[in-house]
Amino acid sequence: MAGPLRVEHDVEVGRWLQAALGPFGTVGAVVPPVFEAYARILHPATLSTPTGETDAWGAPVQSTREITWAEAAELVGDRAAPGEPWTAWSARFGEQQLAMPDGGWLTEPTGGDIPLPTLTTLTELLLDEHGDAEVLVAVWEGSGLDPSSTSTFWPIDPSLASSERLRRHREAEAAHRELAWAAIDPAVRAAMEQQRLLGLPRERQGRGHVLLRGRLSAFADPAWVETAGLGWREGDWVDRGRTPNAVWPAEPHGAPAWMVATDLDLDVTFVGGSAHLVGRVLAHPSLEAERARPEDPLV
């Protein structure tokens, strides 16, 4: 790999994490219960507001901005979902997308990996608190690293015969998929194809993670994604590349000073570490964070 990360072929270096994880459905199932303190970072949601303009098809144009969960609560109140919610957002707000009185929308945070700005902020904080370190990085093998089932919409002249429209659509999808595969480093692809993966929380649950190695300082510049080979591409693509699902210092083995992690189903990121580190996370002006405990439910 030519970028800031390289594939760690010996996935056994991550087995301690499997053994240390807590019960399913708890914070400790994502960041093991071995740290002094924990924080839950809430991924930003999106608020869309009508601009009063329309696009070429006559549809209303919306402006969008990120919004904190505290701001969202001020707008919509408590709308907890009935039954068992799947995400922390649905546990508090009930729905993935909420209609606003002005015709806009409040949309749930993106889940599945750590938002790039959040990772950058945490990296700067960790570098200041603990210094640079060699880190191990777990990245889920699914969305963003598996374009085999991805699809996209391409406008095709409706005056064409249906057979010709279908042919062009298939060609466009094949070209799209080829570009997606090209954005994934061959070493990452080989690790997935050969199943050299770390299952989190365990094997054979569709949760295999490619294990990578690099320096923490690599994540301080958001441009790391451009050469990481994790599915990121130039341009305005609908499907994104991946950021880490877990990052921790490689040494001392099995007893890291800190860990940053999320889960492929989550819309929050957890940090485990010293009380001082977690205190800085909770106080950071660019992070919306809450104190957590390893026995707390995930959502």
Side-chain angles (χ1 to χ4, degrees):
M1 297 177 69
L5 304 171
R6 64 185 186 278
V7 170
E8 171 55 65
H9 297 292
D10 181 14
V11 296
E12 296 302 314
V13 298
R15 295 296 182 206
W16 73 270
L17 179 55
Q18 290 179 326
L21 290 173
F24 177 78
T26 67
V27 172
V30 178
V31 177
V34 297
F35 297 102
E36 185 178 22
Y38 295 77
R40 176 190 294 105
I41 299 173
L42 311 177
H43 298 176
T46 302
L47 179 65
S48 301
T49 305
T51 64
E53 301 176 354
T54 56
D55 60 21
W57 294 272
V61 175
Q62 305 259 355
S63 64
T64 62
R65 69 175 179 90
E66 289 188 344
I67 183 173
T68 66
W69 294 35
E71 290 177 282
E74 290 180 0
L75 290 175
V76 303
D78 186 358
R79 303 187 182 189
E84 290 193 29
W86 286 99
T87 66
W89 176 268
S90 64
R92 301 188 194 192
F93 298 102
E95 300 177 44
Q96 295 176 317
Q97 192 173 58
L98 298 166
M100 304 304 293
D102 63 0
W105 296 92
L106 177 60
T107 305
E108 66 175 345
T110 299
D113 52 10
I114 304 169
L116 190 55
T118 300
L119 179 59
T120 302
T121 298
L122 284 172
T123 297
E124 293 170 349
L125 193 158
L126 287 164
L127 288 170
D128 185 63
E129 181 77 7
H130 288 287
D132 199 7
E134 187 171 49
V135 294
L136 289 167
V137 180
V139 182
W140 182 48
E141 65 174 331
S143 176
L145 288 188
D146 181 12
S148 58
S149 61
T150 61
S151 62
T152 190
F153 171 77
W154 298 91
I156 297 176
D157 187 350
S159 66
L160 295 172
S162 59
S163 59
E164 178 63 12
R165 290 202 305 271
L166 179 61
R167 186 187 69 81
R168 294 193 183 188
H169 176 75
R170 287 175 174 170
E171 287 182 351
E173 292 244 312
H176 170 77
R177 204 163 288 131
E178 184 177 349
L179 286 172
W181 278 118
I184 302 170
D185 190 279
V188 172
R189 294 177 61 174
M192 293 189 294
E193 291 165 0
Q194 298 166 17
Q195 288 295 291
R196 287 186 277 107
L197 305 169
L198 178 68
L200 295 176
R202 58 186 66 87
E203 310 298 340
R204 295 179 294 278
Q205 292 191 331
R207 291 171 178 263
H209 291 67
V210 179
L211 199 58
L212 307 168
R213 187 182 288 265
R215 304 293 300 184
L216 173 63
S217 53
F219 299 117
D221 182 357
W224 70 269
V225 299
E226 297 174 5
T227 57
L230 296 179
W232 294 84
R233 288 174 285 165
E234 295 182 358
D236 187 20
W237 295 96
V238 175
D239 44 341
R240 306 168 304 130
R242 297 211 64 84
T243 62
N245 290 94
V247 184
W248 67 94
E251 298 294 339
H253 176 69
W258 54 266
M259 178 174 285
V260 174
T262 188
D263 180 87
L264 58 97
D265 292 324
L266 293 184
D267 48 11
V268 297
T269 290
F270 293 101
V271 178
S274 68
H276 189 264
L277 170 65
V278 168
R280 293 187 66 181
V281 171
L282 295 171
H284 199 288
S286 298
L287 301 171
E288 187 178 19
E290 308 168 335
R291 193 171 294 281
R293 299 173 301 175
E295 64 268 25
D296 288 344
L298 280 175
V299 299

